[in-house]
Amino acid sequence: MLSILMATYNGEKYLAQQLDSLFAQTMQDFTLHVQDDASTDNTWEVLTSYQQKYADRIKLTKRENNSGDAKYNFLELMSAVQDDYLMLCDQDDVWLPNKIEITFAKMKEMEQQYSTTTPLLVHTDLKVTDQELQIISNSYREATVRRYGRTACNQVLTINNVTGCTVMYNRALAGFLVDMPRFCEVHDWWLQIVAAYVGKIGHIYETTLLYRQHGGNAIGSKDVRTFSYKVRQLLNSSHIRKRINSTYPQAESLLELFRDRLTESQIKLLEHFIALPRMGKFTRWRTICNHKLFMDGLSRNIAYFMFV
């Protein structure tokens, strides 16, 4: 019925605490699928010890060679595992006891609204903590100024508002994830874009997990509301340009895989977006305005128009 997909790599320090939180959920009708990315620490030993305890609940796979990035590990899992419902799970967080129950209730609500054959994605907010699980921010959404209601096809191309470890998606959406994209910036952004173009995205403002920040995070959380952060971002033009430039091949991958499943207006939007780097500066700005390809917030849009 429900599969939880966990990608692991050298996660022995916090893995047991995360696994314990999964098996303490109020809703226990799930199978945990773990793919280890050729860890060099004791991650595999931790996993096998839990598999002995929950033999019928945990399925383990170990890659022979490291994929090079957690997103590839997750993309492989998303491609391989099909179920009625699926959730993504990081190795170092802690799920709050009713995470599955709350997210599943929202999914069922959306299925009643749109039908079970509609590709659906649900995501939630999360609490940000330090490595000892002391709260840094009670809302990742507020700290990073994410607007969960921005799910239109033009809006999802320029910014990702979905955090992978909060996600649940249904079988109808899983069918669109079998083919790996030629490029994606991160796996949860890819999920958001695919869901926006072929289905529907729902959200919950409630926090459902403790998002642990430590030196080994693949992607961390920063409070983007501070003045110092905004100044540093504007001064770091190479980072901004790199992030902007990554959105074009990501959109191109979407068009390559799903052109025959998209509407004429969606195809036109993607073609115009992909062509932005080849346009002159003023034509580029005009195209962005015509298609409302904006980011969230004034400071992000200032940086976007400066460096796009």
Side-chain angles (χ1 to χ4, degrees):
M1 176 191 172
L2 170 66
S3 287
I4 299 174
L5 312 183
M6 176 188 282
T8 61
Y9 176 68
N10 287 355
E12 64 171 338
K13 187 173 183 179
Y14 305 116
L15 180 57
Q17 200 168 14
Q18 173 66 302
L19 292 170
D20 287 340
S21 77
L22 297 184
F23 291 103
Q25 289 290 300
T26 57
M27 183 174 173
Q28 283 289 310
D29 188 12
F30 66 81
T31 301
L32 176 63
H33 298 258
V34 187
Q35 178 162 280
D36 185 68
D37 208 3
S39 290
T40 57
D41 66 356
N42 291 319
T43 294
W44 189 252
E45 286 73 19
V46 174
L47 291 171
T48 53
S49 70
Y50 272 80
Q51 189 183 47
Q52 290 173 7
K53 185 177 180 180
Y54 302 99
D56 59 336
R57 307 280 304 282
I58 301 178
K59 299 183 183 300
L60 301 181
T61 306
K62 188 171 187 177
R63 300 183 89 262
E64 291 186 7
N65 300 301
N66 184 263
S67 68
D69 196 301
K71 69 180 179 183
Y72 299 121
N73 201 2
F74 270 115
L75 286 170
E76 285 187 2
L77 277 167
M78 289 154 58
S79 173
V81 182
Q82 299 285 304
D83 205 340
D84 294 334
Y85 307 99
L86 301 103
M87 301 180 79
L88 305 186
C89 181
D90 290 346
Q91 65 184 4
D92 46 11
D93 300 328
V94 171
W95 285 18
L96 299 179
N98 57 357
K99 180 181 192 297
I100 298 176
E101 185 179 353
I102 289 173
T103 313
F104 184 68
K106 178 64 176 180
M107 174 63 75
K108 298 303 288 185
E109 177 187 315
M110 290 184 66
E111 285 185 336
Q112 288 183 351
Q113 182 179 358
Y114 298 111
S115 85
T116 57
T117 59
T118 301
L120 299 174
L121 181 150
V122 175
H123 65 110
T124 76
D125 198 359
L126 52 162
K127 295 180 186 289
V128 183
T129 78
D130 63 16
Q131 60 185 5
E132 302 302 326
L133 297 181
Q134 298 301 306
I135 303 294
I136 297 172
S137 172
N138 281 308
S139 171
Y140 175 84
R141 176 182 61 85
E142 292 178 0
T144 58
V145 193
R146 305 288 173 173
R147 298 180 182 175
Y148 288 172
R150 288 174 58 87
T151 62
C153 289
N154 56 333
Q155 295 169 334
V156 298
L157 295 176
T158 56
I159 192 166
N160 179 28
N161 285 319
V162 169
T163 308
C165 55
T166 74
V167 160
M168 176 185 285
Y169 59 97
N170 66 354
R171 185 181 293 274
L173 182 55
F176 285 89
L177 304 173
V178 173
D179 294 323
M180 301 265 284
R182 180 174 52 82
F183 174 86
C184 77
E185 177 67 10
V186 283
H187 61 281
D188 47 17
W189 198 346
W190 178 248
L191 252 178
Q192 175 191 243
I193 291 176
V194 174
Y197 273 77
V198 303
K200 299 292 181 181
I201 299 175
H203 62 268
I204 305 169
Y205 288 130
E206 189 168 349
T207 55
T208 60
L209 65 96
L210 304 179
Y211 187 45
R212 194 195 306 261
Q213 299 298 287
H214 55 84
N217 285 96
I219 297 176
S221 167
K222 299 177 180 66
D223 193 327
V224 305
R225 297 168 295 181
T226 62
F227 179 75
S228 59
Y229 175 86
K230 293 173 181 177
V231 170
R232 288 196 304 272
Q233 287 296 295
L234 287 174
L235 293 176
N236 189 4
S237 61
S238 61
H239 171 76
I240 295 173
R241 290 182 190 277
K242 181 180 179 182
R243 187 63 179 238
I244 291 172
N245 289 336
S246 71
T247 63
Y248 307 129
Q250 185 166 249
E252 193 169 11
S253 295
L254 183 76
L255 190 57
E256 289 172 354
L257 286 176
F258 304 122
R259 179 184 283 269
D260 62 340
R261 306 296 295 271
L262 303 178
T263 66
E264 187 175 330
S265 62
Q266 287 175 329
I267 293 171
K268 183 178 179 181
L269 171 62
L270 287 170
E271 289 176 339
H272 284 180
F273 183 75
I274 293 165
L276 284 175
R278 301 190 296 273
M279 297 176 185
K281 192 73 169 180
F282 292 106
T283 304
R284 200 177 308 151
W285 286 348
R286 186 170 62 248
T287 302
I288 289 170
C289 291
N290 287 342
H291 291 286
K292 298 181 180 179
L293 294 162
F294 305 125
M295 302 190 78
D296 286 349
L298 179 61
S299 59
R300 282 194 180 115
N301 278 305
I302 290 173
Y304 187 51
F305 275 86
M306 283 176 62
F307 300 110
V308 71

